[in-house]
Amino acid sequence: MQQSRYFSRAEEVSAACREIYSRYGYRRYRMNRFEEYDLYAANRNFLVGDSIITFTGQGGRLMALKPDVTLSIVKRADCRPGGQEKVFYIENVYRADKSGEDFREIMQLGLECLGDIGLYQTAEVIALAAGSLAAISDDYILDLSHRGFIAGLLEESGLEAEAADDLLAYVGGRNPAGIAELCRRAGVNAGLCRRLIGLTSIYGPYPEAIGRLEAISSNDRTESALEEIRRIYSLLEAFGRGGRINLDFSHTGDMKYYNGVTFSGYVKGIPSALLSGGRYDGLLHSFGKSGGAVGFAIYLDLLDAIPELPGEYDIDLLLVAGEGVDDRSLAAAVKAQIALGRSVTAARGEIDPALRCREIMRLGILENTGKKEVSI
Amino acid sequence: MISIALPKGRLGETAYRLLESAGYGCPELLSDTRKLVFEDEGGRVRYYWVKPADVAIYTERGAADLGIAGLDILLEHSPDIYRLLDLGIGVCRMAVAARRDFTDDSARALRVATKFPNIARKYYIGRGREIDIIKLNGSIELAPLLGLSDVIVDIVETGVTLKQNDLEVREEIAGISAMLVANKASFRFKNSEIGELTRRLAGVVAPKEGGGTVND
């Protein structure tokens, strides 16, 4: 993507993405109010991180600076039968940084499709996620995973909640030794243990990895998840986005909310996941609404990690007004230069040595005629 | 080209020797003590000498694709990286130690001096013990001797240092060793190169019981 002088990379990308989303029938959702802290506290497990900036609002209510936009969209979604809500947003969210010491304002671009949705809408959203990454760079990867497949294998283990959680953590952390140890202690059968370990080692482009996933599918639930993955991939190919899809099962995130396909996006040169999304029907249901929900968010602040190529100049022209030149003449000269399509900054007296300009022009008064003349 | 952050010091040199026998040797690395960046002739691998406590950060932020970091650093800072392989070197334990004559009075908050406040906190929360953490940067053994703390949470190798200071291990928190870690994005974009390096390195690492790649 061409680096514009006047827009940051994040601004350019978000403009390009919003154009694409609109064409696919998504309208912009704007958040112009503050939510009560309770909304986020009640859904803590859905949020990334748990520091929230609060303030006291009208009537002494505890309000929050939003750490998330999805919850607000879900809260207000009108999930009528046969209907879908297709929205995108570009909003600032407020989160603590990793050390927990500073809060940051992060620009987030996101897209949600809620309501009466099926495999087609899910695949379309994933295609839009891939399209968003492509708008940033040709060198991107979209990882695909399926919670249903993992849940299917875990179910077979018959483990109790806490042990099942541990097993899920080992799968998510790509930890075969942890899985082996837990299976041994809990008496899980060797075949299932092998398959769980096999799941952690699956990583790679879809065409190569799908066969390995098929080899470890062993029950109805895993089969149905597998079938969904195959059909989604085929739709992605139809959208022209089948080229950079990898399979990967190391995703984290609460199983209560994320029940189906999940995905994350990476761009070369950016050290962590730029995009994150999935089917989160569980969250929709927890708000007492019916239907499905799928969406993703892009962390635009991470685009700063790619250093921008510094331009050679800050400005085209520095116009320096000499003694005797009045402000009106200076304004007229600036206007004339701008009309020629140049960027101009005016100065009197001292020139800022740090300013890099292509050209300097001095505005002065000719002795004899009293006329204003421009000379370099 | 894969970049690897090595911890400056003995551990880094031992880790390098393993990488060398796995086929990722680099001339002059062990002989030139002033340079911080080394690249091998084939342009396959580049090494950086980094302060041990910083390896995880360099790897997490992608300044290095891979790193060699002790499990103590990983448990303390929880960086967002993948642990690919346990190298079985730099083996020691994270333990609670106290003066030989110390008895715990559970009515008071236990004063714990440590270089690893997060590890200490997590450990004692798990045991429901109220504690007062005193973060120190070195010579932790001094703290209980001067009455600054009741116990220490620190790395124990042979136990000789503790013994010399009249301290003894009371509880073991975790076994520690050096891990090969990877940046999550590099793991994706350089997946086959990293996979090959991990496989070759696993081949020269002393087999541990349980074997294979270890993460937690």
Side-chain angles (χ1 to χ4, degrees), chain A residues 303-336:
Chain A
L303 289 178
D304 292 339
I306 304 178
E308 287 187 16
L309 290 166
E312 239 182 299
Y313 300 103
D314 294 323
I315 200 126
D316 288 328
L317 174 66
L318 173 63
L319 197 56
V320 184
E323 239 182 78
V325 174
D326 66 301
D327 281 346
R328 279 186 67 100
S329 310
L330 181 58
V334 167
K335 185 164 177 251

Side-chain angles (χ1 to χ4, degrees), chain A residues 21 25-27 29 46 68-71 73-74 84-89 108-115 117 125 258 276-278 280 283 293-297:
Chain A
Y21 304 158
Y26 285 79
R27 62 169 178 82
Y29 171 84
F46 181 76
D68 164 86
V69 181
T70 307
L71 284 171
I73 292 175
V74 167
Q84 291 143 27
E85 216 153 290
K86 296 170 67 166
V87 294
F88 68 87
Y89 61 86
Q108 194 168 294
L109 175 65
L111 181 140
E112 317 283 358
C113 183
L114 311 133
I117 66 171
V125 166
Y258 292 96
S276 172
Y280 56 97
L283 183 71
V294 62
F296 61 84

Side-chain angles (χ1 to χ4, degrees), chain B residues 45-131:
Chain B
V45 67
R46 185 186 289 150
Y47 291 102
Y48 307 129
W49 285 117
V50 167
K51 185 168 165 156
D54 294 343
V55 170
I57 299 176
Y58 276 80
T59 310
E60 184 183 37
R61 286 183 171 249
D65 298 317
L66 300 174
I68 309 290
L71 190 54
D72 54 324
I73 304 292
L74 301 180
L75 291 174
E76 178 62 19
H77 298 293
S78 305
D80 192 21
I81 40 104
Y82 289 133
R83 296 182 212 168
L84 300 182
L85 187 63
D86 185 339
L87 300 180
I89 57 173
V91 175
C92 51
R93 306 167 281 163
M94 184 69 64
V96 179
R99 281 171 54 163
R100 248 182 267 278
D101 56 0
F102 172 72
T103 39
D104 190 9
D105 173 11
S106 52
R108 294 192 307 114
L110 186 71
R111 292 170 306 159
V112 180
T114 184
K115 231 165 78 170
F116 305 97
N118 289 328
I119 292 178
R121 199 171 291 119
K122 266 185 255 176
Y123 177 70
Y124 280 105
I125 283 178
R127 307 179 88 240
R129 181 81 172 87
E130 200 188 319
I131 55 171

Side-chain angles (χ1 to χ4, degrees), chain A residues 209-370:
Chain A
I210 189 66
R212 294 164 63 196
L213 193 63
E214 283 162 352
I216 59 175
S217 174
S218 57
N219 60 50
D220 285 342
R221 202 159 170 195
T222 58
E223 272 305 311
S224 111
L226 192 52
E227 180 57 19
E228 233 182 65
I229 294 177
R230 281 196 212 107
R231 287 167 65 195
I232 286 175
Y233 181 76
S234 143
L235 282 172
L236 290 176
E237 280 188 306
F239 278 113
R241 296 291 181 200
R244 297 183 159 269
I245 308 292
N246 286 4
L247 288 184
D248 169 46
F249 288 83
S250 68
H251 288 181
T252 46
D254 206 292
M255 284 281 264
K256 189 169 100 195
Y257 299 118
Y258 292 96
N259 56 298
V261 68
T262 60
F263 47 95
S264 56
Y266 291 79
V267 159
K268 187 150 196 186
I270 297 183
S272 50
L274 194 59
L275 179 153
S276 172
R279 275 293 285 260
Y280 56 97
D281 299 5
L283 183 71
L284 194 66
H285 301 161
S286 75
F287 275 78
K289 309 196 177 181
S290 57
V294 62
F296 61 84
I298 302 175
Y299 311 111
L300 291 174
D301 60 309
L302 292 181
L303 289 178
D304 292 339
I306 304 178
E308 287 187 16
L309 290 166
E312 239 182 299
Y313 300 103
D314 294 323
I315 200 126
D316 288 328
L317 174 66
L318 173 63
L319 197 56
V320 184
E323 239 182 78
V325 174
D326 66 301
D327 281 346
R328 279 186 67 100
S329 310
L330 181 58
V334 167
K335 185 164 177 251
Q337 289 299 320
I338 285 181
L340 294 174
R342 316 169 87 178
S343 59
V344 182
T345 199
R348 278 188 189 281
E350 300 264 320
I351 297 177
D352 179 359
L355 190 68
R356 298 169 307 160
C357 42
R358 215 180 281 270
E359 207 180 317
I360 301 180
M361 272 191 193
R362 290 181 194 282
L363 200 57
I365 299 182
L366 280 185
E367 288 291 310
N368 304 326
T369 62

